[in-house]
């Protein structure tokens, strides 16, 4: 089985990178991570890559005069590795239109909200402040607008009365670690068809159940 070659871009903790590394360790997983790039030299997530023997590149955005030249350096490195899918995993830099267009439908992101609700930053606190009963995570193809693009998978988690941003973030993160490896698997298996703003998943999937929050007791 030829495995899909994946490049992962991180800026920090790297727990989603860790989830992807663990998924790739399964012999039947159809993807492998060829390269992890961080724009921060001290990103904790780099240790997961190093421990797994995955090549890492530190490309510091500060070293470049503008976004376009930084993105060109990312692009060159990813192409040199023969990457077929780029995964943003807590990569906290806005990418230029040139980069996004160059990786059209081969660039995906994970975000800790049920998009299109709460794009941007500080999203768990914003969800709590808005009084929503559910939040969650979204894996989506990247388009030029921030946290926008055809949705591959979402997971919903309840927002509980006693939640603060940290507790909600932790609950969402658990769902992220399930969703991202699944989305990459489906991409690698060629099961995702982008049709305008919608993504069709080919093949059998069990229909999810309706969830209620709060649930009637
Ligand atoms: C994750 O919650 C991810 O969804 C979020 O950053 C965190 C990174 O955690 N991404 C965004 O907010 C993108 N807009 P990690 O470094 O432990 O994977």
């Amino acid at each position: 089985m030829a495995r899909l070659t994946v490049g992962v871009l991180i800026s920090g903790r790297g727990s989603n990178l860790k989830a992807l590394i663990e998924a790739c360790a399964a012999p039947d997983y159809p993807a492998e991570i060829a390269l992890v790039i961080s724009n921060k030299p001290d990103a904790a997530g780099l240790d997961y890559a190093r421990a797994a023997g995955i090549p890492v590149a530190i490309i510091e955005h500060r070293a470049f005069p503008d976004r376009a030249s930084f993105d060109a350096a990312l692009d060159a490195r990813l192409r040199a590795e023969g990457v077929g899918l780029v995964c943003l995993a807590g990569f906290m830099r806005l990418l230029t239109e040139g980069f996004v267009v160059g990786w059209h439908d081969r660039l995906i992101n994970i975000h800790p909200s049920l998009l299109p609700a709460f794009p941007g930053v500080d999203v768990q606190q914003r969800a709590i402040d808005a009084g929503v009963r559910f939040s969650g995570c979204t894996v989506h193809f990247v388009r030029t607008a921030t946290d926008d693009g055809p949705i591959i998978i979402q997971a919903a988690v309840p927002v509980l009365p006693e939640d603060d941003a940290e507790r909600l973030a932790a609950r969402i993160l658990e769902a992220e670690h399930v969703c991202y490896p699944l989305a990459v698997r489906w991409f690698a298996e060629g099961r995702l068809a982008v049709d305008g703003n919608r993504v069709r998943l080919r093949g059998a999937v069990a229909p999810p159940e309706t969830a209620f929050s709060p649930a009637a007791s």
Side-chain angles (χ1 to χ4, degrees):
M1 173 185 67
R3 300 172 101 199
L4 173 75
T5 302
V6 175
V8 183
L9 272 52
I10 65 168
S11 296
R13 179 179 53 189
S15 70
N16 278 290
L17 167 65
K18 179 170 178 271
L20 290 170
I21 290 171
E22 286 170 2
C24 289
D28 67 341
Y29 195 74
E32 64 189 339
I33 301 171
L35 176 67
V36 173
I37 301 179
S38 173
N39 64 314
K40 298 259 182 83
D42 57 351
L46 288 168
D47 290 342
Y48 295 125
R50 291 186 180 116
I54 298 167
V56 303
I58 293 160
I59 304 180
E60 286 189 77
H61 58 277
R62 289 175 202 284
F64 294 84
D66 51 32
R67 287 186 188 276
S69 54
F70 170 66
D71 284 7
L74 294 179
D75 182 77
R77 195 60 207 263
L78 291 162
R79 290 189 195 280
E81 280 321 312
V83 163
L85 174 70
V86 179
C87 294
L88 306 180
F91 184 68
M92 301 314 255
R93 297 290 302 167
L94 295 177
L95 293 162
T96 54
E97 185 174 351
F99 185 93
V100 172
V101 169
W103 289 92
H104 187 77
D105 288 352
R106 291 187 301 143
L107 172 62
I108 65 177
N109 179 45
I110 187 154
H111 182 76
S113 76
L114 293 173
L115 291 173
F118 311 116
V121 295
D122 203 16
V123 298
Q124 295 87 358
Q125 189 59 53
R126 284 163 53 211
I128 290 168
D129 292 346
V132 295
R133 296 296 197 180
F134 284 104
S135 189
C137 65
T138 304
V139 181
H140 64 97
F141 286 103
V142 174
R143 297 294 184 254
T144 47
T146 304
D147 298 321
D148 176 55
I151 291 168
I152 299 168
I153 184 171
Q154 294 185 309
V157 305
V159 180
L160 302 178
E162 62 275 19
D163 274 348
D164 56 17
E166 201 178 322
R167 288 184 60 143
L168 178 57
R171 192 175 307 120
I172 293 172
L173 204 59
E174 271 186 46
E176 293 186 43
H177 298 160
V178 177
C179 285
Y180 220 175
L182 256 183
V184 171
R185 169 183 280 282
W186 291 337
F187 182 96
E189 291 172 344
R191 292 179 62 189
L192 302 178
V194 183
D195 179 10
N197 209 33
R198 303 182 76 176
V199 178
R200 277 188 304 110
L201 174 61
R202 299 191 188 96
V205 277
E209 288 174 14
T210 303
F212 298 86
S213 175
S217 52

